[in-house]
Amino acid sequence: MKILTDSNRDIAEAEKILSAGGVVAFPTETVYGLGAISTSDKAVSKIFRVKNRPKFNPLIIHVENTEMALKFCSFSEKAFLLAEKFWPGPLTIIAKKKTNIKISTLATAGLDTIAVRVPRDRIAQKLIRCVRAPIAAPSANISGKLSCTTADDIKEKLSERIDGIILGAQCELGLESTVIDCSSNACNLMRLGSIPLEEIQDFLKEKEIGGFNSEGIIKSPGQLLSHYSPDSRILLNQKFPKSDDLYLGFGPRKDGIRGLNLSETGNLREAAKNLFSHLHQLDRTSKKLGGKTIKVAPIPNKGLGISINDRLERASRLK
Ligand code: TXA
Ligand code: MG
């Protein structure tokens, strides 16, 4: 695996690897992605192989701007409004796929819809501009396992499997993009994510756009019940940790308790940013301790807390 920086020379090197059909991990504002050129069957199939990802689970296509997205799909009025408000940023829009486009049908799992996103992260933007082609990129992890928000976690888990990594800071937001299906007249939430649910609801209400369905969240092919999982067992909503527990706290620190804290000030943004990296770290500690259960503090179920709890619940489901 080539270790690359965000210098012009290294980004050009990443472009070369990608153009030759390779897979390169790169930072985005949400989580690290595993990129491949989306127009190449060979490159896209390598992503599925590297991740051990089921073929029925389509990938998000990362583009530079709305104009580039519209080469591959048609937007409804609601999709345009959402893109105008939230792009570049942590929103993925699912739209009707245009016919005869060059994107590999493996990337869209043969569906007649396509998921597109314009990331705002500077390095992700720089890479897409240099490649001058849409990049297919799922989260950088083995399918079903914890997503990665730091380069170190990727090096540990994926270095044997991928061709390169572009180093960046810890991802700014820490949770994957919010996914909204705008491919019909309605708008359906497919995955909770970095944009709090209320923010989208308020925005669509303000634009007097009805028909937003966030009830029961219709599942994307990838929204498997158990997902985002560490190897260790996880127990949620643990208010009173004991001194020999391994604890993921939230809010004021409890003295004498081993573990990490998502946010001592109870800030949900900070907690979201730390979630996956803290779980990776605690998973390592748990292994050293012979497989100790990770106990997790209750997270308020409002704002970003709803998205954090979604990830925690899936992480805690038995595989
Ligand atoms: O923040 C993110 O979205 C990150 C960064 C790298 O951009 N990517 C990411 O990709 O989380 P991934 O593959 O881990 O999750 C993509 C989700 C999956 O649940 C997949 O099933 C869904 O998007 N998806 C993709 N295309 C779809 C489609 N046409 N219809 C329904 N769901 C789709
Ligand atoms: Mg993922």
Side-chain angles (χ1 to χ4, degrees):
M1 180 184 72
K2 261 241 156 86
I3 310 269
L4 302 162
T5 69
D6 62 349
S7 70
N8 292 346
R9 218 170 91 191
D10 278 10
I11 295 288
E13 175 74 26
E15 188 274 330
K16 262 199 213 135
I17 299 174
L18 289 171
S19 295
V23 168
V24 174
F26 65 98
T28 84
E29 68 276 21
T30 56
V31 298
Y32 274 73
L34 271 191
I37 301 284
S38 63
T39 49
S40 156
D41 281 344
K42 179 183 149 213
V44 170
S45 66
K46 183 157 188 190
I47 291 186
F48 282 91
R49 227 173 30 246
V50 162
K51 279 194 64 124
N52 209 1
R53 181 175 175 114
K55 289 274 183 341
F56 61 77
N57 191 5
L59 306 176
I60 297 174
I61 308 301
H62 294 66
V63 290
E64 191 181 338
N65 47 34
T66 305
E67 198 190 328
M68 192 169 175
L70 292 174
K71 290 190 181 148
F72 314 112
C73 54
S74 334
F75 269 10
S76 64
E77 185 196 351
K78 291 172 196 180
F80 272 113
L81 285 168
L82 286 166
E84 198 180 31
K85 165 82 178 165
F86 294 105
W87 278 357
L91 174 72
T92 294
I93 294 176
I94 293 175
K96 277 230 172 70
K97 198 167 91 174
K98 286 188 174 164
T99 47
N100 295 326
I101 59 170
K102 289 188 182 144
I103 308 272
S104 161
T105 52
L106 293 174
T108 52
L111 299 174
D112 57 4
T113 55
I114 186 166
V116 282
R117 166 160 125 78
V118 179
R120 71 168 180 236
D121 179 86
R122 188 183 54 80
I123 299 177
Q125 277 278 344
K126 191 170 174 179
L127 181 67
I128 299 169
R129 276 202 302 276
C130 179
V131 170
R132 301 218 306 279
I135 296 179
S139 50
N141 53 276
I142 305 285
S143 194
K145 296 290 184 187
L146 286 176
S147 303
C148 293
T149 52
T150 70
D152 283 345
D153 290 335
I154 295 177
K155 283 187 201 158
E156 184 189 316
K157 303 279 176 189
L158 294 169
S159 60
E160 306 287 303
R161 296 173 174 240
I162 62 179
D163 302 294
I165 178 170
I166 305 174
L167 303 179
Q170 179 174 355
C171 298
E172 173 201 343
L173 302 173
L175 294 177
E176 293 86 348
S177 60
T178 298
V179 180
I180 300 186
D181 183 353
C182 298
S183 63
S184 63
N185 286 333
C187 247
N188 291 308
L189 182 66
M190 308 286 276
R191 180 175 74 183
L192 289 157
S194 268
I195 304 173
L197 179 57
E198 292 99 324
E199 205 178 315
I200 290 168
Q201 283 168 329
D202 289 351
F203 173 72
L204 292 174
K205 219 183 282 158
E206 173 202 312
K207 296 281 171 195
E208 296 180 1
I209 299 239
F212 178 63
N213 176 17
S214 60
E215 300 298 313
I217 305 178
I218 299 168
K219 305 275 183 306
S220 260
Q223 286 286 74
L224 309 172
L225 291 181
S226 160
H227 211 110
Y228 314 106
S229 303
D231 294 327
S232 334
R233 210 171 138 238
I234 291 202
L235 265 185
L236 302 183
N237 297 316
Q238 301 296 305
K239 276 194 196 146
F240 306 107
K242 294 197 275 307
S243 58
D244 66 337
D245 281 342
L246 187 56
Y247 192 58
L248 182 58
F250 176 84
R253 209 162 61 84
K254 295 176 165 52
D255 285 334
I257 298 297
R258 179 173 38 184
L260 294 169
N261 198 306
L262 289 171
S263 169
E264 288 189 16
T265 58
N267 178 318
L268 288 167
R269 284 204 171 280
E270 187 185 12
K273 178 172 180 175
N274 286 330
L275 181 69
F276 285 125
S277 65
H278 278 13
L279 283 173
H280 275 287
Q281 247 175 283
L282 290 180
D283 207 20
R284 271 175 225 128
T285 311
S286 157
K287 269 178 213 154
K288 277 185 204 142
L289 296 171
K292 202 166 181 58
T293 297
I294 301 168
K295 293 192 176 175
V296 184
I299 310 293
N301 210 37
K302 59 176 196 316
L304 267 182
I306 299 176
S307 303
I308 296 174
N309 283 326
D310 169 78
R311 299 300 188 270
L312 282 171
E313 271 155 33
R314 288 174 208 278
S316 71
R317 292 217 175 102
L318 291 179
K319 290 138 274 224

